[in-house]
Amino acid sequence: NILILDEIFGSLDSEYIEAVYSLLQNLKSMFDSIILVTHHDVLKDVCDSSIEIIRDSSGYSRIS
């Protein structure tokens, strides 16, 4: 019972991102796990835990 959302909110403006925040709160009661891949920092607040991947100065990605 897992929902995976991969970069589906990339084209939304800040008004709609706030609506997504509420949507994700509701979805948490419907799924055992939700995996969210996003570049929107505001959506991190709705997550129970997160993994941040950053690019270092040499161009390699690493888990932060």
Side-chain angles (χ1 to χ4, degrees):
N1 193 6
I2 297 173
L3 175 64
I4 301 173
L5 304 169
D6 186 5
E7 290 292 346
I8 65 169
F9 307 121
S11 62
L12 298 179
D13 62 17
S14 59
E15 177 184 342
Y16 288 107
I17 289 295
E18 292 299 323
V20 168
Y21 185 89
S22 297
L23 172 67
L24 288 173
Q25 288 287 43
N26 291 330
L27 288 173
K28 286 170 80 172
S29 66
M30 301 167 78
F31 293 92
D32 294 333
S33 298
I34 299 174
I35 298 173
L36 174 64
V37 178
T38 186
H39 286 98
H40 288 285
D41 289 336
V42 69
L43 293 177
K44 291 179 185 177
D45 295 336
V46 75
C47 297
D48 295 329
S49 60
S50 66
I51 299 171
E52 186 174 358
I53 300 173
I54 61 170
R55 184 169 292 159
D56 64 20
S57 59
S58 61
Y60 291 98
S61 297
R62 62 182 176 84
I63 297 174
S64 171

